[in-house]
Amino acid sequence: MKGLTFAVAIALLLPVAGRADDKKSKPNISVKASPAIAFSPARVVATADLKGGANDYEDFYCPSIEWEWGDGTTSQDTLDCDPYEAGKSEIKRRFTASKVFQTSGDFRVIFRLKKKDKTIASGSTDVKIRPGAREIGGVDR
C-alpha cells in the first residue's frame, strides 16, 4: 500500500500535458532591438515575440499594437481579423517595427498589445544610441 500511495502522490505532482488550464495560459512577451547599441543616426528594428501559452488565447487575438520609442514618439497598428473562434483562431506571435533615431541617448522601447484603449500586455527593451559624426561636428558626405 505504501508503494501505491507514493506513486499516486508523485503522479499528482507531475504536470499533465494537455490539461484545459494549460491550453488557455497566457503567452509571455519578449522584446528585442537590433542593434541594441548604435551610432546616430541609427535605424533600429524592434521585434516582439509571444512565447508559450495558448495559440488561441482570446485576449491576445486581433489586438492593436503600439510601439513607444522612448523619444516621445509612438507607432501604432491595427490588425484586420476574422471574428474569434475558440480552438480555431490563432494569435499572431511576432511583431516588428523600425525607427531611425536621429540623436544620441538611452531609450526604453515599449511594445503594447491593446484592446480598445486598454493595454492588455506589454514588454520593453533598452536601446543606446551614441553620438554619430553628425552630432559631434562631422561633415556629411
Side-chain angles (χ1 to χ4, degrees), residues 5-21:
T5 303
F6 179 74
V8 171
I10 293 297
L12 292 174
L13 294 174
L14 295 174
V16 178
R19 288 191 323 197
D21 57 341

Side-chain angles (χ1 to χ4, degrees), residues 64-87:
S64 295
I65 308 305
E66 181 180 84
W67 293 93
E68 183 179 320
W69 296 104
D71 64 353
T73 64
T74 59
S75 302
Q76 298 180 351
D77 192 19
T78 302
L79 303 176
D80 185 25
C81 310
D82 291 329
Y84 176 80
E85 291 182 54

Side-chain angles (χ1 to χ4, degrees), residues 21-29 50-57 60 91 93:
D21 57 341
D22 288 342
K23 290 181 181 177
K24 296 302 175 190
S25 63
K26 180 179 181 179
N28 295 313
I29 297 175
L50 303 183
K51 298 182 179 192
N55 282 333
D56 68 338
Y57 190 73
F60 286 8
I91 62 173
R93 294 232 175 226

